[in-house]
Amino acid sequence: SVVGAVEDGVQEVTVSILNDDPPQIQTTSDPLSYTVGSPAVVIDAGLTSVVAAGSTFTGATVSVGAGYVAGADILEFVSQAGITGNFNSTSGILTFTGTADSSAYQSILRSVTYKNVGGSPANLERTVTFTVSSGSLSGSDTRLIELMNVAQPLLVGIDFGGGSVPGNWTSYSGS
């Protein structure tokens, strides 16, 4: 018999299973090196994501936190699988929306690129946070980008004999 049942015999019981496992995301632990002014580079081609069986992702964000400079730090991505995205250049947050399985979100998150067009930034580190959502549950992880400034050419005067002549300057890039 079932405790609390009003009748003896067979009882119908309904069990609802609540999936409360948050989605998981894991980024590559080694920092990404990037030379300022270079073409865009993929932030994390090794990123992995997992959502509980039977669940889907409903959104994701990629944000440049510490060190972000509006107009200099740029995130881009390759559209796919019906997931839409928008980069807010004021806040440094790339937002994805659309319901899709974890492999679709993993693919679009792996396509996110970073570039810096800001010259010589004072802060040479950027912390990028990847967050995935499944309903009201979310999970996140970070990847560090280490920026390297481009070496400025060294201006060298060359004496071609007979003294220094204005305008006979050349530049040398090297260490």
Side-chain angles (χ1 to χ4, degrees):
S1 76
V2 176
V3 175
V6 290
E7 297 179 18
D8 286 334
V10 177
Q11 300 292 316
E12 184 177 320
V13 177
T14 303
V15 177
S16 297
I17 299 175
L18 175 63
N19 180 2
D20 60 355
D21 292 333
Q24 298 175 4
I25 188 164
Q26 185 171 7
T27 57
T28 303
S29 60
D30 295 335
L32 172 67
S33 294
Y34 175 80
T35 301
V36 174
S38 295
V41 295
V42 170
I43 298 172
D44 198 342
L47 174 146
T48 58
S49 62
V50 179
V51 67
S55 296
T56 55
F57 285 142
T58 54
T61 60
V62 181
S63 60
V64 183
Y68 177 72
V69 177
D73 296 312
I74 300 168
L75 298 179
E76 298 171 324
F77 66 98
V78 176
S79 295
Q80 50 196 298
I83 301 169
T84 59
N86 181 51
F87 178 60
N88 181 324
S89 60
T90 303
S91 65
I93 299 173
L94 172 59
T95 303
F96 293 108
T97 56
T99 300
D101 63 21
S102 65
S103 64
Y105 266 95
Q106 179 174 286
S107 182
I108 202 164
L109 292 172
R110 285 180 174 179
S111 81
V112 176
T113 61
Y114 170 85
K115 68 180 174 182
N116 182 291
V117 295
S120 298
N123 184 341
L124 297 177
E125 290 187 346
R126 302 292 187 268
T127 302
V128 177
T129 302
F130 291 85
T131 303
V132 290
S133 301
S134 179
S136 63
L137 303 172
S138 64
S140 57
D141 202 1
T142 61
R143 178 127 199 237
L144 181 66
I145 299 176
E146 295 176 339
L147 303 182
M148 297 176 289
N149 282 319
V150 178
Q152 299 297 319
L154 175 62
L155 194 58
V156 177
I158 298 177
D159 184 352
F160 292 101
S164 182
V165 179
N168 285 343
W169 295 88
T170 189
S171 63
Y172 170 77
S173 292
S175 344

